[in-house]
Structures are given as structure tokens and as C-alpha cells.
Amino acid sequence: MYDRFDRHINYLRISVTDRCNLRCQYCMPETGINLLHHNDILTFDEIADFTREAVRSGVTKVRITGGEPLVRKGIVTLVSMIAEIKGIEDLSMTTNGTMLGIYADDLREAGLHRVNISLDTTDPDKFAAITRTGAIKDVFNGIDAAKKAGLLPVKINCVIRESREENSASAVTRFCKENELEIRYIKQMDLVKGHFWKVDGGDGGDCSICNRLRLTADGRLKPCLFNNIEFNIRELGNKEAIRLAVGMKPECGSFNANGSFYNIGG
Ligand code: SAM
Ligand code: SF4
């Protein structure tokens, strides 16, 4: 699929839940979150049907994200349903890694190709402060499990405040070198204020080459993370929602007052 600006749209990111077992300070408030009702959340069949239509339309790259995708009940089954779709060349997941120790082998067997794991520091106390609830040893376990399961290449997403030279990020850089992990640095963003940047080491945040569509856990298809536009797949049907989202994908992001990282998926 090509949009109005001749960008080749072939990448779908699916948020499978707005729930998370962590509360990263830059992503979720500590309390008072309005979570989706069970009935609003797309079923596995709805997600698989939508993905099939997207692949028919030219999507070859799919990423599963959240919230934390591994807290969605039955996630391994969902991964296998998506993995069965012919035409997906790259099937990945973005996860905080805390539950990969439990799921890595099953995910690989279900057909997941690789994972991105979020890690902003190597210091247990800083990690606990950033995530408000997390234990860093779970992420280290998860990284090991992902490597052993062959979910390769394992990439690390490191959120930075200003630069990759700051202390926490430098420590994560060293950790990645020692453990043969790829790293990308994501400067902290603010969707509502329209503060967004190119991802250092990745393709995200660069409007001129953006090839993405995003499906939220409650079935809103968003052509741009930094824009309010969205199309409800339940109301419009999969095909029409895709046609409209690609047709109205903005040239460049501006701001998004309609969602947050944890319910769009980053
Ligand atoms: N729970 C999973 C995780 O943390 O990897 C997947 C969902 S999370 C919303 C996806 C990515 O968005 C993570 O790498 C996270 O660090 C990033 N993220 C969350 N809030 C952000 C913000 N305000 N600015 C930049 N990146 C953010
Ligand atoms: Fe959860 Fe990921 Fe957001 Fe952290 S960044 S609160 S792990 S969804």
C-alpha cells in the first residue's frame, strides 16, 4: 500500500491490551487509569481477521505490543494465530521483558521471530523507581530466556531524557555490548504536547519514512501515533478502516490528545 506521500505502508503494530504489570513514570500514571472494559477489547479472532486483511493489503511486518502484551491471557495462542497468516515476513513483540522467563520458549514455538525489550537502566533501585513496581532481575532473566529461545536479534529499547551519553543510558549501552544486544535510544516523548523525536538506532519518529499503522486494543486503527485521527474497525469493517487510515495518513505528526503510549503501544 502507498499513501498520498508515496510512503510504502507495510508495517502493522497491534496493541493487544492496555494493561501492564509495571507503571513506568513516563508512560502510565501510578493510579486512576481508566482501563478498557472487557467487551471493548478485541477478541483473538477479531485481531487475526484484521491482521489477515492488512496482510492481504500489503503488510509484511507485524509487531505485537501493549500495555504489556504478555499480561494478555492466552497471548501464546494469539501469537500462533497471527504467525499462521501467510505473508508476514517479520513478526516481533515489544515487551518489558519481566515475563519472558515464563513465555520465551512458548512464544518462539508459537512462531514469534524476535523481541524488543525495554530497559532504561541497569541499576535495580533506579529500575524500581522508574517502573514504580518492577524488579530488574526479572528483565535480566527475560533477556536470557529470549536469547536462549532464539527470539533474535534481541533489541533493547532504552528511553532517555536528553542523550545516549547520560549515566543510565551509558550503563545500558555497556550492558548491551557485553551481552550482544542491539540497542535503540528513544527520547522521552509527550504525545499531547506534540513532543516527539526520531528514535536513535531505529526508524521510529521519522515521518518521511513512516510505514506504520497502529491498531489499539479496542479496535481503533491509527495512521499516526502523533495525531488524533483513528478509524474504528468494528464500525467500519477491516477493509474500509485500512483504506481510510492509509488514505488519511498525515504527512507529519503533530499531537495526539486521543491516547497514550500504554493504550496505543508506542
Ligand atoms: N510494555 C511494553 C514495553 O514497555 O516494552 C510495550 C509497550 S510500551 C508503551 C512500548 C515502548 O514505548 C517501550 O519501549 C516504552 O519504553 C516506550 N514508551 C512509553 N512511554 C514513552 C514515552 N513517554 N516516550 C517515549 N517512549 C515511551
Ligand atoms: Fe508498561 Fe511498557 Fe508503559 Fe512501562 S512502558 S508502563 S512496561 S506499557
Side-chain angles (χ1 to χ4, degrees):
M1 288 175 282
Y2 286 85
D3 72 359
R4 291 174 294 163
F5 309 100
D6 220 24
R7 291 172 299 194
H8 186 203
I9 312 302
N10 62 357
Y11 182 12
L12 172 66
R13 298 169 66 103
I14 307 170
S15 173
V16 298
T17 180
D18 61 340
R19 267 86 170 155
C20 187
N21 57 338
L22 301 183
R23 286 288 178 278
C24 301
Q25 300 205 12
Y26 47 72
C27 181
M28 274 179 129
E30 189 164 16
T31 53
I33 311 158
N34 281 331
L35 290 172
L36 293 171
H37 290 291
H38 191 70
N39 289 346
D40 293 334
I41 294 176
L42 296 179
T43 64
F44 288 0
D45 283 332
E46 285 176 311
I47 294 173
D49 283 349
F50 178 83
T51 308
R52 251 187 297 279
E53 187 59 48
V55 170
R56 260 198 296 276
S57 308
V59 162
T60 54
K61 202 177 156 183
V62 174
R63 177 177 297 276
I64 298 166
T65 177
E68 173 48 42
L70 296 180
V71 306
R72 174 95 191 234
K73 215 169 144 215
I75 184 68
V76 175
T77 304
L78 177 60
V79 167
S80 66
M81 288 168 73
I82 294 174
E84 273 168 17
I85 299 171
K86 298 263 173 312
I88 300 178
E89 291 162 13
D90 181 23
L91 178 57
S92 61
M93 177 181 282
T94 302
T95 166
N96 63 34
T98 53
M99 294 163 78
L100 274 176
I102 305 168
Y103 286 120
D105 285 337
D106 291 346
L107 289 168
R108 184 72 189 107
E109 208 159 301
L112 188 71
H113 297 161
R114 59 189 184 90
V115 286
N116 282 42
I117 300 173
S118 300
L119 184 68
D120 311 332
T121 175
T122 55
D123 179 277
D125 295 332
K126 280 190 193 159
F127 183 85
I130 293 169
T131 61
R132 295 196 183 103
T133 55
I136 202 167
K137 68 170 181 7
D138 295 337
V139 184
F140 291 150
N141 276 344
I143 293 171
D144 274 351
K147 285 171 74 177
K148 286 196 184 112
L151 291 168
L152 303 171
V154 174
K155 297 185 185 177
I156 298 296
N157 287 1
C158 178
V159 172
I160 55 176
R161 284 202 182 270
E162 285 301 329
S163 97
R164 58 154 86 185
E165 313 302 335
E166 62 204 33
N167 288 345
S168 292
S170 300
V172 179
T173 306
R174 279 195 300 280
F175 172 81
C176 288
K177 282 203 180 113
E178 288 159 13
N179 291 281
E180 292 173 11
L181 303 161
E182 286 184 32
I183 182 165
R184 55 219 35 236
Y185 306 89
I186 307 172
K187 192 167 164 185
Q188 199 172 313
M189 308 187 197
D190 187 323
L191 300 185
V192 178
K193 291 188 181 139
H195 295 166
F196 64 96
W197 335 90
K198 288 184 191 173
V199 172
D200 181 356
D203 293 334
D206 185 347
C207 302
S208 68
I209 56 161
C210 184
N211 58 354
R212 305 171 177 201
L213 295 176
R214 292 177 163 82
L215 181 65
T216 65
D218 58 346
R220 291 171 288 132
L221 185 63
K222 295 189 71 70
C224 174
L225 177 58
F226 308 103
N227 193 295
N228 290 332
I229 310 175
E230 57 191 32
F231 300 94
N232 190 312
I233 67 164
R234 280 177 168 158
E235 288 166 11
L236 294 161
N238 296 334
K239 205 170 181 171
E240 182 64 0
I242 292 170
R243 191 184 71 77
L244 289 168
V246 172
M248 290 181 65
K249 189 171 163 74
E251 183 169 20
C252 196
S254 50
F255 67 93
N256 181 354
N258 255 353
S260 310
F261 271 83
Y262 72 90
N263 58 28
I264 304 175

